């Protein structure tokens, strides 16, 4: 598993057949390998292409090297850079992807996480219904930023 | 009785007992639902990773609690990770044992923490054993040409 997202290895976004909907891309940001594995399986159920990083800094670096994702699943408590800082930095960089915070903490800690720029917030474990809701929101939105 | 049907019955009885006795909760059921033809080894892979992580965490916890001056913040961080991974796979009794462990960490009670480590370890090895049996049964069903019974 690569630690840092490599923008050069991503498939080209040009779609030869316009009738085929573009596959959604998601970035999973979590230091726990088990959580990453589960989130990946959840997203694949909805045919979402997944990429993974282990902390907020790696998520920021991926975007600095030009990566774009329709959805970012962001953990809060991570080493190096937590989800709150990463979300704030991404928003400061004008990243307009849908960012969903996924944490195991109580509401109090999450207030500042949400304020950092989350679109949605879910308690772990993430469910199939929550992912379906996120995918529907993205498909329903205009996608332009 | 036909071998597949016999194994499937055994599987259903075994997994029902795991839920009834609180070893597993609904989260494990969710994981099983995520396993399909495109992802046939998913549960095995997640469970194997859980075993690997748990054993590392148990060793780290034992080492941290043996220090002359115990760093309760570090102990708490290991327990927090353990709680997270056990909750991710639905190992309910391990998760509950971790929650009790966390409160002793917050109170900085070394004796309580030592007892909790023993309890967490005990629960972990119990569920490990159960999960290994469950996965073995699944393999036997598949090897005999059968399908894993649908639990939902």
């Amino acid at each position: 598993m690569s630690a840092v997202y490599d923008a050069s290895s991503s498939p080209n976004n040009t779609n030869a057949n316009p009738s085929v909907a573009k596959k959604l891309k998601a970035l999973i940001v979590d230091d726990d390998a088990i959580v990453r594995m589960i989130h990946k399986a959840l997203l694949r159920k909805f045919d979402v292409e997944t990429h993974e990083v282990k902390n907020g800094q790696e998520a920021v670096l991926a975007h600095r090297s030009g990566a774009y994702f329709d959805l970012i699943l962001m953990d809060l408590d991570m080493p190096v850079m937590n989800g709150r800082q990463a979300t704030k930095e991404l928003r400061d960089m004008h990243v307009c992807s849908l960012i969903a915070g996924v944490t195991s903490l109580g509401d109090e800690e999450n207030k500042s996480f949400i304020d950092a720029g989350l679109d949605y917030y879910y308690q772990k474990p993430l469910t199939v219904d929550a992912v379906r809701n996120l995918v529907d929101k993205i498909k329903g939105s205009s996608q332009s930023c | 009785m036909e071998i597949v049907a016999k194994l499937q019955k055994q599987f259903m009885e075994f997994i029902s007992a795991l839920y009834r006795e609180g070893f597993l909760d609904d989260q494990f059921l969710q994981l099983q639902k995520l396993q399909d033809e495109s992802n046939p080894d998913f549960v095995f892979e997640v469970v194997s990773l859980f075993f690997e992580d748990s054993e590392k965490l148990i060793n780290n916890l034992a080492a941290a609690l043996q220090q002359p001056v115990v760093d309760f913040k570090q102990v708490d961080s290991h327990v927090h990770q353990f709680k997270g991974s056990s909750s991710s796979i639905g190992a309910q009794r391990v998760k509950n044992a971790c929650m009790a462990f966390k409160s002793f960490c917050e109170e900085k009670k070394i004796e309580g923490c030592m007892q909790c480590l023993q309890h967490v370890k005990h629960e972990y090895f119990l569920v490990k054993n159960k999960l290994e049996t469950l996965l073995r049964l699944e393999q036997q069903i598949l090897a005999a040409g059968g399908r894993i019974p649908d639990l939902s």
Side-chain angles (χ1 to χ4, degrees):
Chain A
M1 191 185 306
S2 70
V4 177
Y5 176 80
D6 178 4
S8 64
S9 71
S10 71
N12 199 319
N13 271 339
T14 50
N15 203 326
N17 184 354
S19 67
V20 175
K22 200 185 92 190
K23 209 171 178 180
L24 294 182
K25 277 174 69 178
L27 181 67
I28 300 162
V29 191
D30 206 301
D31 58 327
D32 185 336
I34 297 176
V35 171
R36 288 199 303 272
M37 201 183 265
I38 296 172
H39 287 179
K40 186 170 147 183
L42 278 165
L43 288 160
R44 286 203 169 168
K45 278 264 168 209
F46 297 93
D47 202 29
V48 178
E49 180 185 317
T50 59
H51 297 263
E52 302 169 33
V53 289
K54 292 179 201 156
N55 62 59
Q57 191 178 61
E58 289 180 1
V60 170
L61 286 174
H63 285 84
R64 287 227 175 96
S65 31
Y68 175 80
F69 302 92
D70 302 287
L71 168 67
I72 301 171
L73 293 182
M74 185 75 81
D75 181 27
L76 176 56
D77 193 14
M78 291 178 285
V80 190
M81 186 191 281
N82 69 30
R84 188 188 305 112
Q85 290 167 279
T87 302
K88 193 176 175 309
E89 255 192 66
L90 290 172
R91 292 307 190 204
D92 287 347
M93 287 160 66
H94 306 292
V95 170
C96 59
S97 313
L98 195 149
I99 307 181
V102 191
T103 82
S104 54
L105 297 170
D107 291 340
E108 225 168 275
E109 289 97 333
N110 288 319
K111 172 84 174 70
S112 64
F113 190 17
I114 293 166
D115 291 346
L118 294 183
D119 294 295
Y120 292 93
Y121 155 72
Y122 294 98
Q123 283 271 352
K124 277 183 187 170
L126 196 62
T127 62
V128 174
D129 288 342
V131 175
R132 182 181 295 115
N133 180 46
L134 289 170
V135 169
D136 286 349
K137 293 276 181 218
I138 296 166
K139 286 185 173 163
S141 74
S142 63
Q143 287 280 309
S144 57
C145 37
Chain B
M1 200 191 291
E2 189 205 340
I3 181 82
V4 170
K6 197 177 155 195
L7 284 167
Q8 284 171 332
K9 184 169 177 279
Q10 211 181 331
F11 175 87
M12 286 309 283
E13 282 169 2
F14 190 73
I15 199 159
S16 305
L18 291 186
Y19 287 114
R20 199 173 52 243
E21 290 159 21
F23 284 107
L24 299 178
D25 63 21
D26 191 49
Q27 177 60 14
F28 190 76
L29 200 65
Q30 299 300 324
L31 297 187
Q32 289 192 305
K33 284 187 194 162
L34 288 176
Q35 181 162 297
D36 55 27
E37 306 82 54
S38 69
N39 208 359
D41 298 320
F42 177 66
V43 174
F44 176 79
E45 285 168 8
V46 173
V47 165
S48 304
L49 198 53
F50 171 67
F51 292 162
E52 216 176 281
D53 270 16
S54 301
E55 277 152 48
K56 218 179 289 166
L57 284 168
I58 286 171
N59 288 337
N60 289 346
L61 278 165
L65 286 172
Q66 270 163 14
Q67 296 301 311
V69 180
V70 174
D71 179 351
F72 284 98
K73 220 177 145 192
Q74 195 194 23
V75 175
D76 186 73
S77 144
H78 293 321
V79 179
H80 183 77
Q81 271 186 54
F82 209 169
K83 183 178 151 252
S85 59
S86 52
S87 138
S88 291
I89 78 138
Q92 188 172 224
R93 283 167 56 158
V94 176
K95 183 184 84 182
N96 291 344
C98 286
M99 282 158 83
F101 201 157
K102 268 182 87 70
S103 51
F104 281 107
C105 279
E106 279 153 24
E107 292 165 21
K108 298 189 186 331
K109 288 187 173 156
I110 181 84
E111 279 302 311
C113 283
M114 295 295 258
Q115 278 171 14
C116 283
L117 175 61
Q118 290 314 313
H119 184 212
V120 165
K121 249 170 98 169
H122 176 73
E123 288 296 345
Y124 164 69
F125 284 108
L126 274 178
V127 81
K128 182 185 182 190
N129 194 283
K130 303 274 185 193
L131 285 167
E132 282 173 341
T133 305
L134 187 75
L135 293 172
R136 205 159 42 236
L137 268 172
E138 278 195 14
Q139 287 309 312
Q140 285 171 345
I141 294 172
L142 295 174
R147 283 173 63 99
I148 309 297
D150 190 357
L151 298 153
S152 51

